Amino acid sequence: MERKSQVIAVAVQENGDIYRFWGRAPKVAVASVQDGAIIDWKEYPVQWDIAREETTEGLHHAQIAKWIMEHHVTGVVAVGLGDDMERMLRKIGLDIYLGFNGKARDAVKQIAVKS
């Protein structure tokens, strides 16, 4: 059985742990996942922590949605999400994986194995 390919985004800290606040993350990793393994991992300095303070919530969410689409993200890993953020991510068709803590790569590996 062939497993599906995914592009998973996760907010990351400098030490590689998952950043607790998805919509306020300074950096996001995008992992390409195929056949149960991470085949590519890139980290981007998104500075959503700064952007969130400089704009409205709706515009901030729209900027995040645009970034997600530009990077062809199909799923998001997070500790948790606010209701509005989760609604927006689901509306654009993403798979959402909540309740993860610890190392970002380990969380994405868990998803890769299950996919």
Side-chain angles (χ1 to χ4, degrees), residues 6 11 13 16-17 23-25 27 37 45 52 57-58 63 74 76 85-86 88 90 96-97 102 108 115:
Q6 291 180 287
Q13 300 180 55
D17 284 352
R24 296 176 186 260
K27 181 168 55 170
R52 176 60 186 101
E57 182 177 324
Q63 291 167 339
T74 61
V76 168
M85 179 65 73
E86 184 173 351
M88 181 273 292
R90 289 192 189 282
I96 299 174
Y97 306 95
V108 172
S115 297

Side-chain angles (χ1 to χ4, degrees), residues 10-28 48-49 76-82 85 97-104:
V10 58
V12 293
Q13 300 180 55
E14 290 300 320
N15 68 0
D17 284 352
I18 297 173
Y19 189 78
R20 183 167 180 78
F21 303 102
W22 166 257
R24 296 176 186 260
K27 181 168 55 170
V28 172
W48 292 339
D49 52 336
V76 168
V77 172
V79 175
L81 297 168
M85 179 65 73
Y97 306 95
L98 300 177
F100 285 89
N101 287 294
K103 296 297 179 190

Side-chain angles (χ1 to χ4, degrees), residues 74 88-95:
T74 61
M88 181 273 292
L89 295 173
R90 289 192 189 282
K91 187 174 182 178
I92 63 174
L94 298 185
D95 294 324

Side-chain angles (χ1 to χ4, degrees), residues 57-76:
E57 182 177 324
L59 183 55
H60 180 61
H61 287 181
Q63 291 167 339
I64 291 172
K66 180 181 178 194
W67 187 91
I68 285 170
M69 290 185 276
E70 287 172 348
H71 290 85
H72 309 286
V73 171
T74 61
V76 168

